[in-house]
Amino acid sequence: MDKPKTTIPLLSGYASYFETEAIVGAIPKGQNNPQKCPFGLYAEQLSGSSFTMPREKNLRTWLYRIMPSVKHGKVVAAPEEAPFLTEGTHLTPERLRWKPLDYSSLDKPTDFIQGLVTIGTQGDPTSRDGVAIHLYIANCSMENKCFFNSDGDWLIVPQEGGLRLETELGLLPLQPGHIAVVPRGIKFRVKLLDEKARGYICEVYSGHFELPDLGPIGSNGLAAPRDFLYPVAHYEEKEVAFTVIQKYGGKLFRFSLDHSPFDVVGWHGNYAPFIYDLSLFCPVNSVLYDHMDPSIFTVLTCKSNTPGLAVVDFVIFPPRWMTQEHTFRPPYFHRNCMTEYMGLIRGQYDAKAEGFVPGGASLHSMMAAHGPDAVTFEKASNVELAPSRIGDESLAFMFETSRMIKLTDWALDPNHLDVHYTECWQPLKKLAALDLNKVD
């Protein structure tokens, strides 16, 4: 089981209502915004939903901070901050696979925001509808600088290198094998715990990430609410020139502060960033025959207005036992009314014998035929079907979305693609030996 390298105190419980203070008494008692707050703090509400959403969907947190967020400098455009954070413009039904981001491409100190690369987007953040897929690569920490996203939530999947997310609400350790979700509007900066880091990001403009419904599985299984961890209040009182980067309508902007924005001394509410250890996921699977649909491995989902149709699902393929009888056990050949973007955190994915490497990714667009490569098909079709445990040294994931992803120029650059990807299916042979003349 993966464990964070740090001993940062954390709060437990998905979507719980928390109250946490870095100084006892920082949160006013009995009301949210008194005439004067304790210790001369400012009261500020951060809303993650409209005021009139149903109670179970209503998200907001009260912050008690040294300086209010409203005090900042003029906002200016900052496209140079992340040159490859762009909107997608190209549609292709081709099956694609990308090489991992190359650290040697970093010819200068590059922090988490500067190293962002967009693979593709769909929809419009200005109408709060859609999804985007990004990568990140970094070789230095963010100093006196932070970021927040007006467009949506970010689900961050580290592939290599530990991170510490320093957010307005507190600190979160983040290692490969864990994920983090930073909701819309929350400021954070990224400190590297190792010399370099890279990983994946799924952004949703629509709604928020939430736990999937369990249906007939019952009340247990998949990701348990108690295993989601949230920050405790932590603040710094620091007067310094500080830069804030804001993503708004798909573009980057910048403004300045004369102090650190990480000055929240206490907070209470249900709108906060969180982390989750993927090794704690409790998978369910077939125990008799056939390969189940990958939706059984959904960790988090962002729902659409159509029941059962997700804007995007975050799915993992964790270590598990395979016991099916007379069954082709790897993922089956498939054409899907969803778009599948797959990444590999470590090890080897069971449907691809070679070519799909940690840090790489693949995209199978809507209704594009895909499935096991020829080598995997041959092996799995003839292997003795004893109970076996797979994936102990592997962890793959999928962003599965109901949207057609428009790809960026960077994503279609042959220098970043595995141009031989589709060759993995070409050795598949005709196996049926039918004499059509004898068929009635």
Side-chain angles (χ1 to χ4, degrees), residues 251-372:
K251 309 293 185 183
L252 292 184
F253 297 84
R254 176 192 298 113
F255 59 83
S256 63
L257 301 174
D258 59 7
H259 62 278
S260 169
F262 302 110
D263 62 352
V264 176
V265 184
W267 61 270
H268 70 86
N270 62 353
Y271 191 60
F274 58 82
I275 57 173
Y276 174 72
D277 179 351
L278 297 174
S279 71
L280 300 177
F281 186 79
C282 179
V284 298
N285 208 345
S286 169
V287 294
L288 188 57
Y289 66 89
D290 277 356
H291 184 99
M292 297 292 98
D293 296 333
S295 52
I296 60 172
F297 299 134
T298 299
V299 180
L300 292 168
T301 185
C302 178
K303 297 178 179 178
S304 74
N305 292 326
T306 302
L309 182 68
V311 174
V312 66
D313 287 328
F314 173 63
V315 177
I316 64 170
F317 301 93
R320 60 201 182 276
W321 280 92
M322 303 289 273
T323 60
Q324 302 99 314
E325 300 173 351
H326 46 80
T327 293
F328 182 81
R329 289 180 177 176
Y332 41 71
F333 294 108
H334 193 204
R335 291 181 297 156
N336 191 0
C337 64
M338 306 284 276
T339 297
E340 300 179 358
Y341 176 89
M342 283 200 62
L344 185 61
I345 299 170
R346 60 175 179 257
Q348 179 179 329
Y349 180 52
D350 61 324
K352 295 291 185 293
E354 57 185 28
F356 188 38
V357 298
S362 65
L363 182 74
H364 300 143
S365 57
M366 199 172 293
M367 289 302 176
H370 58 280

Side-chain angles (χ1 to χ4, degrees), residues 21 283 309 406 432:
E21 299 171 317
L309 182 68
K406 294 181 179 180

Side-chain angles (χ1 to χ4, degrees), residues 109-367:
T110 302
D111 65 32
F112 179 87
I113 298 302
Q114 294 165 337
L116 289 171
V117 175
T118 303
I119 295 295
T121 62
Q122 198 285 329
D124 182 5
T126 66
S127 61
R128 297 175 66 170
D129 178 47
V131 64
I133 298 170
H134 313 286
L135 305 174
Y136 71 85
I137 186 170
N139 60 9
C140 72
S141 298
M142 298 170 68
E143 300 292 345
N144 295 329
K145 172 183 174 183
C146 71
F147 171 84
F148 74 100
N149 187 6
S150 296
D151 292 346
D153 292 7
W154 270 11
L155 190 158
I156 303 171
V157 185
Q159 186 271 318
E160 190 170 68
L163 309 175
R164 184 171 71 241
L165 304 185
E166 300 183 352
T167 81
E168 291 181 274
L169 279 67
L171 308 178
L172 291 171
L174 184 59
Q175 294 288 335
H178 298 64
I179 60 168
V181 170
V182 182
R184 182 195 310 266
I186 293 178
K187 298 185 182 76
F188 70 99
R189 67 182 169 196
V190 178
K191 294 293 185 74
L192 269 58
L193 302 181
D194 298 293
E195 291 185 358
K196 55 189 179 181
R198 67 185 180 193
Y200 313 84
I201 299 172
C202 183
E203 178 178 9
V204 290
Y205 311 145
S206 316
H208 299 284
F209 286 105
E210 56 187 281
L211 290 175
D213 295 327
L214 292 178
I217 293 175
S219 58
N220 299 291
L222 307 188
R226 69 172 180 161
D227 293 327
F228 288 81
L229 302 177
Y230 292 74
V232 301
H234 178 276
Y235 75 98
E236 61 181 24
E237 187 174 4
K238 190 175 178 182
E239 295 183 2
V240 64
F242 210 100
T243 299
V244 180
I245 306 299
Q246 177 182 5
K247 184 172 181 285
Y248 184 83
K251 309 293 185 183
L252 292 184
F253 297 84
R254 176 192 298 113
F255 59 83
S256 63
L257 301 174
D258 59 7
H259 62 278
S260 169
F262 302 110
D263 62 352
V264 176
V265 184
W267 61 270
H268 70 86
N270 62 353
Y271 191 60
F274 58 82
I275 57 173
Y276 174 72
D277 179 351
L278 297 174
S279 71
L280 300 177
F281 186 79
C282 179
V284 298
N285 208 345
S286 169
V287 294
L288 188 57
Y289 66 89
D290 277 356
H291 184 99
M292 297 292 98
D293 296 333
S295 52
I296 60 172
F297 299 134
T298 299
V299 180
L300 292 168
T301 185
C302 178
K303 297 178 179 178
S304 74
N305 292 326
T306 302
L309 182 68
V311 174
V312 66
D313 287 328
F314 173 63
V315 177
I316 64 170
F317 301 93
R320 60 201 182 276
W321 280 92
M322 303 289 273
T323 60
Q324 302 99 314
E325 300 173 351
H326 46 80
T327 293
F328 182 81
R329 289 180 177 176
Y332 41 71
F333 294 108
H334 193 204
R335 291 181 297 156
N336 191 0
C337 64
M338 306 284 276
T339 297
E340 300 179 358
Y341 176 89
M342 283 200 62
L344 185 61
I345 299 170
R346 60 175 179 257
Q348 179 179 329
Y349 180 52
D350 61 324
K352 295 291 185 293
E354 57 185 28
F356 188 38
V357 298
S362 65
L363 182 74
H364 300 143
S365 57
M366 199 172 293
M367 289 302 176

